[in-house]
Amino acid sequence: MAANSASADVIVTDESLDSNPLLQDFDFPPFDAVDAKHVRPGVRALLTKLESDLDELERTVEPAWPKLVEPLEKIVDRLTVVWGMINHLKAVKDTAELRTAIEEVQPEKVKFELRLGQSKPIYNAFKVIRESSDWESLSEAQKRIVDAQIKEAILNGVALEDDKREEFNKIEQELEKLSQKFGENVLDATKKFEKLVTDKNELGGLPATALGLAAQTAVSKGHENATAEDGPWMITLDAPSFMGVMQHSHNRALREEIYRAYMTRASNGDLDNTVNIDQILKLRSEKAKLLGYNNYAEVSMAKKMATVEKAEQLIEKLRSVSWNAAVQDMEDLKSFSKAQGASEANDLTHWDISFWSERLRESKYDINEEELRPYFSLPKVMDSLFNLAKTLFAIDVEPADGLAPVWNSDVKFYRVKDSSGNPIAYFYFDPYSRPAEKRGGAWMDEVISRSRVLSRNGTSARLPVAHMVCNQTPPVGNKPSLMTFREVETVFHEFGHALQHMLTKQDEGLVAGIRGVEWDAVELPSQFMENWCYHRDTLMGLAKHYETGDSLPEDVFQKLLAARTFRAGSMSLRQLRYATIDLELHTKYVPGGQESVYDVDRRVAERTQVLPPFSDDRFLCGFSHIFGGGYAAGYYSYKWAEVLSADAFSAFEDAGLDDIKAVKETGNKFRETILALGGGKDPLEVFVAFRGREPSPDALLRHNGLLAATG
């Protein structure tokens, strides 16, 4: 145990290390027991133990699997699991104490990772394996590990001279700190904005769910008598509240106020991310130069399927077929709002788009998102999602609440079994928005990865564990969580990620599940699963009225299907704007030069946005994907993987979506390739193994109703 090898000086609390939950041997992490006070002593004791393990590995290393990869995997895994627990708690149960504790030990953790990543004995041992006569006898997964480790070491600065390596390490430490600070500023700025409304007339148009949520938020902020009917109501920048106002409020001044607040989050005062952005970009550029690359995008692409050029080509191809459709979308909104007598019809701007888009959609397809909510209750949606997984992949998902500790009473825990009834994986699901402590958005991550070396019983591989986190509308009163259709798609999306992690058949832990999968391929299973939301049997199975049990009317299903391509050009351009600004900032932008990041954003918007950004637009200050997450020079991955996922789904369309036998056969093939092979095989080869050919963007353009535009 790490506790035994820790020296006395790492103990900074009275609590003995023996009882520190971070250092226990566990099947499932003790999320309920970990507190901020455990972080400093726990992480320091762990790092002390891992330092000595690394010393031992460097001393005894041989270019052979048991003497190199297995001990290395144990070190990497232990740090991944423990730091993963802490990081996860910060994302879902943030406190000032936890932040401070993480801030203090993060430099020590980064220092260890750099030492590990720059270990010459390990790097040299991998190079010997690569050049030895045994190379051909390695499995494909093992070869991928060796190649990835060599590439990773070079990108970690292993080949740099001492002074340059020191500079590189300083940059890495600073980048870690800055990206942490960036995310904290976004969360704090989101949390800081509160608007209390006492006059119900100001909230005209807001549906009952939005009023209920606003009253519930007011109660949580000390207005204990707040009701949906009589208020007061609290509006926040948390997604369910923000979207409710933007899509439904008749009060244009309120829409403008909330939109401006959202788009300028973390852009002023002590939460201003502008300096952090410039500093991050400057340091990333310096890091790239140290490693011998022209820019940071090239560093990022070194571990992806695409190249900068290929990513730019795809973005431009999709942009050119989306532009005219997006221009038409805008014309349609102007004409419609004018026909409705809207005073702003000739002057539609950013805080009008969502509102009038919703009205046009309701008019065109007779679909009201809010009226659909009663048909999408969370329990029913999850049941149907699990039934679909059973049909496609021959697995059973069953509740296992109580088996593993959780961080909040709303968190559900599930066991996944194969067709023989054997457990093969587990996952947590944390569905609801908790703006006071939980960051926005939706994500999936690994908790524990499948591994032969880290087997719990010495015979079968350790089983993978995942978590899925969403931020949907919580239950209000005695109603279950009633979801929008977009929230349904989001749950399907995150479950797709979880499936790739859980259904892996790789026993080599370093490439099992989502580990080792190229970043621009990792969205394939998630986006693939979203397609099933438009599959008749799947949707009709999950869309049951939570009170009456009635199915979604057939005509409504047909309208949902027709509405799928509504404003597809605009939606596509929005993602392409993000992808373009990301690449632009990481290739051509010069920090401290003549252009500011906002100048670059405005320039990019000219080609990717029909409506120019408003003058104070500071969306970059909240762009956590690239400044606080892992998508730097990688946001294009969403579109890259969308091509793959749409093409993969078209294999089911080709086989016949109503032919259950063909669907099961194709599902099994998808499971045995895309979901089973993890990072152990090149993603393009994995795709070809499933599809029988290389990917084509035609299916994506067809699904989005944009195919005709390419002719």
Side-chain angles (χ1 to χ4, degrees), residues 114 165-175 283:
L114 286 166
R165 190 156 73 238
E166 209 170 300
E167 194 185 334
F168 179 92
N169 291 353
K170 268 192 200 146
I171 288 172
E172 288 292 80
Q173 286 284 12
E174 193 57 26
L175 280 172
L283 291 172

Side-chain angles (χ1 to χ4, degrees), residues 87 125 130 137 228 305 310 337 363 374 422 487 501 583 590 592 615 617 640 669 702:
N87 235 5
R130 184 70 183 84
S137 65
M305 286 176 79
K310 281 183 179 170
S337 56
S363 156
N422 301 313
E487 286 173 341
H501 187 63
L583 280 182
V590 181
S615 56
D617 185 319
W640 187 272
K669 195 173 181 187
R702 177 168 51 79

Side-chain angles (χ1 to χ4, degrees), residues 583-653:
L583 280 182
E584 189 79 18
L585 289 175
H586 288 106
T587 50
K588 304 181 187 75
Y589 174 66
V590 181
Q594 291 184 323
E595 276 190 312
S596 74
V597 285
Y598 307 119
D599 294 333
V600 180
D601 188 30
R602 270 188 286 279
R603 183 158 51 72
V604 164
E606 286 171 17
R607 292 186 300 119
T608 55
Q609 215 170 299
V610 175
L611 191 63
F614 78 109
S615 56
D616 296 332
D617 185 319
R618 294 288 181 270
F619 116 87
L620 286 174
C621 288
F623 199 3
S624 297
H625 275 77
I626 70 168
F627 297 119
Y631 280 86
Y635 199 90
Y636 77 90
S637 300
Y638 282 107
K639 281 295 174 196
W640 187 272
E642 228 180 302
V643 168
L644 302 176
S645 61
D647 200 357
F649 187 74
S650 73
F652 289 81
E653 294 172 320

Side-chain angles (χ1 to χ4, degrees), residues 136-151:
E136 289 311 322
S137 65
L138 296 183
S139 70
E140 198 167 2
Q142 288 174 326
K143 286 178 179 174
R144 285 263 297 173
I145 288 172
V146 173
D147 283 339
Q149 288 294 329
I150 292 171
K151 186 186 283 183

Side-chain angles (χ1 to χ4, degrees), residues 29-88:
F31 284 119
D32 58 339
V34 176
D35 204 72
K37 68 183 177 192
H38 300 120
V39 172
R40 291 180 192 85
V43 170
R44 283 177 177 145
L46 175 67
L47 290 173
T48 302
K49 168 74 168 74
L50 295 181
E51 286 276 0
S52 84
D53 290 350
L54 180 52
D55 289 341
E56 178 67 10
L57 172 55
E58 289 185 325
R59 203 172 51 74
T60 60
V61 70
E62 289 174 25
W65 220 253
K67 288 284 198 173
L68 170 61
V69 182
E70 292 181 8
L72 175 64
E73 186 191 327
K74 288 176 182 172
I75 293 172
V76 169
D77 186 87
R78 191 75 190 132
L79 186 58
T80 303
V81 170
V82 174
W83 192 258
M85 286 165 65
I86 297 166
N87 235 5
H88 175 63

Side-chain angles (χ1 to χ4, degrees), residues 340-357:
Q340 302 302 302
S343 57
E344 67 263 30
N346 293 321
D347 186 30
L348 286 187
T349 190
H350 299 278
W351 40 89
D352 302 318
I353 303 301
S354 292
F355 176 78
W356 284 110
S357 296

Side-chain angles (χ1 to χ4, degrees), residues 21 46 51 71 214 314 358 365 382 539 550 657 659 663 679 681:
L46 175 67
E51 286 276 0
L314 176 68
E358 271 309 294
Y365 304 103
M382 298 311 285
L539 189 67
D550 292 345
L657 287 169
D659 181 341
V663 164
K681 191 179 177 78

Side-chain angles (χ1 to χ4, degrees), residues 55-235:
D55 289 341
E56 178 67 10
L57 172 55
E58 289 185 325
R59 203 172 51 74
T60 60
V61 70
E62 289 174 25
W65 220 253
K67 288 284 198 173
L68 170 61
V69 182
E70 292 181 8
L72 175 64
E73 186 191 327
K74 288 176 182 172
I75 293 172
V76 169
D77 186 87
R78 191 75 190 132
L79 186 58
T80 303
V81 170
V82 174
W83 192 258
M85 286 165 65
I86 297 166
N87 235 5
H88 175 63
L89 286 171
K90 184 174 186 292
V92 293
K93 204 175 180 178
D94 188 42
T95 65
E97 295 76 21
L98 184 59
R99 276 186 192 189
T100 308
I102 289 173
E103 239 162 69
E104 246 179 73
V105 293
Q106 188 164 274
E108 297 161 45
K109 171 246 184 192
V110 175
K111 187 179 175 189
F112 174 75
E113 284 178 325
L114 286 166
R115 189 196 148 191
L116 179 64
Q118 294 168 355
S119 166
K120 287 225 165 108
I122 293 176
Y123 172 62
N124 290 332
F126 275 116
K127 282 210 302 189
V128 171
I129 291 179
R130 184 70 183 84
E131 290 152 16
S132 76
S133 54
D134 296 339
W135 175 250
E136 289 311 322
S137 65
L138 296 183
S139 70
E140 198 167 2
Q142 288 174 326
K143 286 178 179 174
R144 285 263 297 173
I145 288 172
V146 173
D147 283 339
Q149 288 294 329
I150 292 171
K151 186 186 283 183
E152 195 79 48
I154 292 167
L155 293 175
N156 275 328
V158 74
L160 296 176
E161 297 305 320
D162 290 352
D163 54 338
K164 286 194 170 170
R165 190 156 73 238
E166 209 170 300
E167 194 185 334
F168 179 92
N169 291 353
K170 268 192 200 146
I171 288 172
E172 288 292 80
Q173 286 284 12
E174 193 57 26
L175 280 172
E176 188 97 359
K177 216 182 292 174
L178 286 165
S179 100
Q180 190 99 331
K181 184 67 182 150
F182 185 96
E184 287 171 1
N185 283 354
V186 175
L187 180 66
D188 290 347
T190 305
K191 209 159 54 174
K192 193 174 174 184
F193 180 91
E194 294 174 355
K195 182 176 175 64
L196 190 68
V197 179
T198 52
D199 179 358
K200 198 173 188 180
N201 294 325
E202 283 188 42
L203 301 178
L206 252 60
T209 49
L211 290 171
L213 178 64
Q216 193 164 286
T217 305
V219 170
S220 74
K221 301 286 182 183
H223 303 271
E224 61 270 9
N225 298 321
T227 64
E229 195 50 48
D230 301 319
W233 303 269
M234 181 77 78
I235 306 294

